[in-house]
Amino acid sequence: MPTDIGSILIQLFSGLSRAMMLFLVSSGLSLIFGVMNILNFAHATLWLLGGYLTYTLFQLFSNTFGDHALLIVPAIVIVTGIMFVLGWVLERVLIRRMYAREVPEQLLLTFALILIFGDLIKLIWGVQNRRIFLPIEPIAVFDSYVNPYFFVIIAAGFGVAGGLWWFLHRTRYGKIVRAAVYSRDMVSALGIRIPTIYAGVFALGIAIAAFSAGVFLPIMPIGLGLDMDLIIQCFAVVVIGGFGSILGTFVASIIVGIVYAFSIFIWPGGALAIIFLILVAVLIWRPWGLFGTEMRY
Amino acid sequence: MDELVVDNIHTFYGTSHILFGISLKVNRGECVCLLGRNGVGKTTTLKTIMGLAHAGQGAITYNEKNLIGLPPYEIARMGIGYVPDERLIFPDLTVRENLEIGEKAPLTRDVAPWTVDRVYQLFPSLKPLDGRPGGYLSGGEQQMLTCGRTLMGNPSLLLLDEPVEGLAPVVVQEVTQQIRHLKKMGLTILFAEQNIKFATEISDRAYVIEGGRVRYEGTMEALEQQSEIKEKYLMI
């Protein structure tokens, strides 16, 4: 293992940016589970769909307005909006029918969504990987070169984490979401329209995931199958951090992201195994996760 | 005039039959008590009215509007407030935030709406706890907060489930005063209680419940004379 500061920093940056993606996808997963008790197995597939849509929109913009790196910004914003609407519709039409059902039935429905959206992606975009090339010059850090786009990703991750914290702690809607994590019945008995809260939380989770897919396109090619790798790691993140805890999801994402980046460096074949060893350790030592609460109403 | 009419409701939890045809009426401005021991169906009756448990049969109307089949938030928006016995304080929200979650505009414009400050006037012991998370309150404080949170929704009918259960005698006296005060303000109250002594202090009428059925109904004075009913169905 190279031990110079430059290589270590590169692993650190790549680990941190990976952590940000894990956080952006897992935070929605965790929020949806915390509020509605729904394990959305299709979360990463919707993330993938968001990525493909951003890719297509970016190509469309580039063909219309000429090549410009910043065109990725409107593409990401518009796709985030589209996926928010899609999330809302999915919740209203399908997911809300699952609240009273058992977890295996929920998994059946969300697994069906994986297959449906997976095939839809195959039909529209084919099976080859897609990515966006942005003309970005690497910058020198000590003796190595770092893609400065890593900093954009890390900033976006911290930005969304901060925004989510602000939303959950400073807005009335966010406080209602936190209250609903404890008791949906009580929130409903206070006259709050629970169906709107549910649709909003689901749509928000999907929108954040789609946003992260767009932000990652310039450094990571997307393709079918990536959603399955991602969802499994996101489940690990959410379990390590504690379901329903945004802070826990954030910390667990950073742990998993950085451990993964350095493990790949040292023992490429065992990177996932190490993450699952951490998961097992957490399950033995604190089954409710690092920041989860032991008791729920 | 009858404000709330519950007519012959049967409620089930899964396959177990809990209520066997409960009927009751609450008039505007009245304070009515559901009396009975633990597990006789008092909480289920309140939950069925609130839409949190589902009546398989029977009718419930509030101001002549049907409540059966409506979700709890629609029922709350018709002016019914529910104070559960499990309290269900949102533990990581502060006292003020708990109250703010309950905020809902009054149905009529002629009454002054509840505000956080008015709740603190009614329950002075909550005021110094303003910024404290709800999970760090004592039982009595939590009870007052639950009640205040529901009042913030400006209900005209209050369903209280064992409001003094597990509270110290001094706190029970305080809560008794506060419920009397709410009654004086014109709120209609239907509450569940095990203890006839506390019930007598605040209620006009009582329904004695046992085994999911109403066994006796009458004014508190009349019930006072019924020593057989009291011995058979109540804790004395």
Side-chain angles (χ1 to χ4, degrees), chain A:
Chain A
M1 168 186 170
T3 47
D4 61 291
I5 289 187
S7 331
I8 288 176
L9 272 180
I10 286 180
Q11 288 314 307
L12 194 66
F13 288 138
S14 103
L16 267 180
S17 44
R18 186 180 181 79
M20 292 307 140
M21 180 172 69
L22 288 173
F23 169 70
L24 292 176
V25 181
S26 314
S27 58
L29 198 66
S30 168
L31 208 57
I32 290 167
F33 183 80
V35 176
M36 288 106 93
N37 265 326
I38 288 277
L39 261 180
N40 181 23
F41 211 33
H43 207 72
T45 310
L46 291 163
W47 164 89
L48 192 62
L49 180 66
Y52 277 107
L53 284 175
T54 312
Y55 164 81
T56 299
L57 208 57
F58 180 74
Q59 297 300 328
L60 191 75
F61 286 167
S62 300
N63 293 338
T64 320
F65 307 109
D67 282 333
H68 199 293
L70 279 179
L71 283 176
I72 196 173
V73 176
I76 291 174
V77 171
I78 292 170
V79 170
T80 304
I82 292 173
M83 293 302 286
F84 184 90
V85 175
L86 178 69
W88 192 287
V89 172
L90 274 179
E91 197 281 339
R92 292 286 68 205
V93 178
L94 290 176
I95 305 292
R96 76 183 174 95
R97 299 175 200 280
M98 305 311 290
Y99 296 139
R101 307 235 181 188
E102 302 291 318
V103 172
E105 289 176 278
Q106 296 176 5
L107 286 181
L108 219 54
L109 174 79
T110 50
F111 190 69
L113 288 180
I114 293 182
L115 299 177
I116 293 167
F117 283 111
D119 269 4
L120 206 63
I121 289 171
K122 214 186 288 175
L123 268 175
I124 300 174
W125 288 279
V127 287
Q128 68 267 52
N129 288 354
R130 306 285 175 155
R131 74 174 290 182
I132 287 176
F133 288 96
L134 293 185
I136 299 171
E137 289 295 317
I139 51 169
V141 175
F142 294 94
D143 294 329
S144 305
Y145 287 92
V146 176
N147 185 345
Y149 194 78
F150 277 144
F151 299 111
V152 174
I153 287 171
I154 294 167
F158 273 93
V160 173
L164 209 53
W165 187 90
W166 177 84
F167 166 74
L168 288 172
H169 290 83
R170 291 286 178 268
T171 67
R172 176 174 163 82
Y173 195 100
K175 288 173 192 172
I176 290 173
V177 169
R178 280 162 63 213
V181 169
Y182 283 94
S183 174
R184 303 179 247 187
D185 277 355
M186 194 60 232
V187 168
S188 181
L190 290 171
I192 292 159
R193 290 184 202 281
I194 277 288
T196 314
I197 302 296
Y198 284 5
V201 166
F202 195 81
L204 180 70
I206 302 298
I208 294 174
F211 170 83
S212 79
V215 170
F216 270 82
L217 270 176
I219 57 158
M220 189 180 73
I222 54 168
L224 280 171
L226 207 57
D227 52 335
M228 297 317 288
D229 291 346
L230 185 62
I231 194 72
I232 288 168
Q233 288 189 44
C234 286
F235 276 135
V237 163
V238 169
V239 172
I240 291 171
F243 266 105
S245 161
I246 293 300
L247 178 66
T249 306
F250 190 73
V251 173
S253 300
I254 289 184
I255 294 173
V256 171
I258 289 181
V259 166
Y260 189 84
F262 281 96
S263 316
I264 276 205
F265 210 34
I266 303 162
W267 179 29
L272 262 183
I274 292 177
I275 286 168
F276 281 93
L277 280 178
I278 298 177
L279 176 71
V280 169
V282 167
L283 280 177
I284 292 170
W285 171 55
R286 272 179 80 91
W288 52 92
L290 295 178
F291 289 82
T293 30
E294 209 168 340
M295 297 268 287
R296 298 214 305 170
Y297 288 134

Side-chain angles (χ1 to χ4, degrees), chain B residues 13 18-19 34 38-49 53 82 84-86 161-162 192 209:
Chain B
Y13 283 138
I18 311 288
L19 300 184
L34 302 176
N38 248 338
V40 296
K42 304 185 301 290
T43 296
T44 307
T45 305
L46 295 182
K47 282 192 167 169
T48 308
I49 297 169
Y82 172 60
D85 64 339
E86 326 101 293
D161 197 354
E162 304 209 17
I209 296 179

Side-chain angles (χ1 to χ4, degrees), chain B residues 34-234:
Chain B
L34 302 176
L35 271 171
R37 296 197 182 97
N38 248 338
V40 296
K42 304 185 301 290
T43 296
T44 307
T45 305
L46 295 182
K47 282 192 167 169
T48 308
I49 297 169
M50 200 61 214
L52 294 163
H54 299 286
Q57 280 177 49
I60 305 174
T61 58
Y62 178 65
N63 292 332
E64 281 151 20
K65 287 187 206 105
N66 166 55
L67 299 188
I68 297 268
L70 294 183
Y73 59 90
E74 293 287 359
I75 293 172
R77 280 162 180 255
M78 291 165 80
I80 302 184
Y82 172 60
V83 180
D85 64 339
E86 326 101 293
R87 294 173 190 147
L88 302 178
I89 288 297
F90 306 126
D92 61 350
L93 266 56
T94 65
V95 166
R96 177 175 286 268
E97 287 172 335
N98 265 281
L99 292 174
E100 284 169 351
I101 292 256
E103 206 172 332
K104 179 161 59 59
L107 291 169
T108 50
R109 250 181 277 165
D110 50 321
V111 290
W114 282 92
T115 58
V116 173
D117 287 336
R118 269 189 76 199
V119 171
Y120 289 165
Q121 265 172 33
L122 179 67
F123 304 112
S125 40
L126 287 181
K127 197 174 180 188
L129 306 170
D130 183 78
R132 185 174 299 186
Y136 295 99
L137 302 186
S138 72
E141 292 159 355
Q142 283 199 358
Q143 187 57 53
M144 292 177 202
L145 180 56
T146 314
C147 199
R149 182 179 62 183
T150 299
L151 289 173
M152 289 292 285
N154 297 292
S156 36
L157 167 65
L158 205 55
L159 307 176
L160 289 171
D161 197 354
E162 304 209 17
V164 295
E165 187 191 15
L167 300 186
V170 192
V171 188
V172 172
Q173 288 208 330
E174 208 181 329
V175 174
T176 310
Q177 289 308 319
Q178 286 145 352
I179 294 176
R180 279 204 184 118
H181 185 78
L182 292 173
K183 195 183 156 194
K184 240 181 258 163
M185 291 173 56
L187 249 80
T188 309
I189 298 171
L190 174 63
F191 76 107
E193 186 50 59
Q194 302 192 28
N195 180 332
I196 187 167
K197 192 168 159 291
F198 170 71
T200 310
E201 285 191 47
I202 57 172
S203 28
D204 305 313
R205 288 190 300 124
Y207 289 87
V208 175
I209 296 179
E210 195 270 333
R213 294 175 174 87
V214 174
R215 303 294 179 167
Y216 177 85
E217 60 174 290
T219 60
M220 294 314 291
E221 293 82 18
L223 177 61
E224 201 51 45
Q225 314 301 320
Q226 302 282 338
S227 49
E228 194 190 336
I229 297 278
K230 288 199 287 183
E231 262 171 48
K232 209 164 158 191
Y233 301 126
L234 302 175

